[in-house]
Amino acid sequence: AGEGRSAPPPTKAEKAASKEAAAAARREERAARKEAHLQHEVGKVLGALLTKVERLAARGVAASRREGARPVYSIGVHVREPSEAEAAVLGALERLRKAGVDAEERVHGWTLRLKQRPVDEDGRARGGVRFDICVVPPASRLKLASVIGVKRHMGLVRELAEEAAPAGTPPPALPPPAAP
């Protein structure tokens, strides 16, 4: 007797609940796809970092096998600690860099110069304000344009390819400070 009858039409509440369930299912599916994409991207980044770390570690292991050297990645191998005069020069250079203004200073015969790069004709500095450093060692016409260049000149850092100085070799001495 009940054959042929159809189910009563859904109520407004049932329709709303059905729509909300479908929307929730779409949101969950979208979130799952996004999570899978992010995991894939993170995996790529981590893989690249791991490869880079492995390369750096291989270079560091090779450098650290040399007597008295510890690796300083991409700039060479740390050979020794700076003397007081060298530390004063490096400290003054760092202080000038952090001050961020045009300046020139003489420390233990070294001339340290920091100069702001010119800005565009519209008065804006592309990429922010930048400074160039110029360091002139005592009794030299050589101009060094980087902190690592200064450290290499002082003998604090050497290239990976360079041979290590024999153990017990004294560091190069700085000349006495010039009288003002």
Side-chain angles (χ1 to χ4, degrees):
E3 296 175 23
R5 277 192 185 169
S6 64
T11 64
K12 282 187 176 182
E14 289 172 335
K15 285 181 182 178
S18 175
K19 277 186 175 180
E20 181 55 40
R26 284 193 305 272
R27 281 193 301 269
E28 282 184 36
E29 183 181 337
R30 205 174 309 129
R33 279 197 315 260
K34 187 174 183 178
E35 177 69 23
H37 175 73
L38 288 175
Q39 284 181 354
H40 176 73
E41 292 298 314
V42 166
K44 287 190 331 189
V45 170
L46 287 176
L49 284 174
L50 184 58
T51 302
K52 187 171 185 174
V53 166
E54 287 170 348
R55 272 188 277 128
L56 291 175
R59 276 197 295 176
V61 168
S64 65
R65 289 184 183 151
R66 297 187 190 113
E67 186 177 327
R70 68 180 165 97
V72 178
Y73 299 113
S74 78
I75 56 174
V77 177
H78 177 84
V79 177
R80 62 178 178 83
E81 295 302 317
S83 67
E84 276 187 42
E86 292 166 338
V89 170
L90 293 172
L93 185 56
E94 188 63 26
R95 188 180 67 252
L96 286 177
R97 286 180 58 212
K98 286 186 178 183
V101 294
D102 288 356
E104 183 171 333
E105 190 173 320
R106 287 186 58 84
V107 179
H108 294 288
W110 291 69
T111 303
L112 313 174
R113 208 173 294 126
L114 188 74
K115 184 173 179 175
Q116 182 178 349
R117 284 191 182 167
V119 295
D120 292 346
E121 56 275 349
D122 60 356
R124 294 186 345 207
R126 300 282 181 219
V129 177
R130 297 198 157 204
F131 288 88
D132 293 317
I133 65 170
C134 179
V135 179
V136 180
S140 174
R141 302 181 116 204
L142 183 66
K143 292 182 178 181
L144 306 169
S146 68
V147 174
I148 192 60
V150 172
K151 288 181 179 181
R152 284 183 179 138
H153 185 80
M154 290 176 170
L156 302 176
V157 173
R158 64 176 164 75
E159 296 290 333
L160 286 172
E162 292 177 16
E163 288 299 317
T169 304
L174 286 177

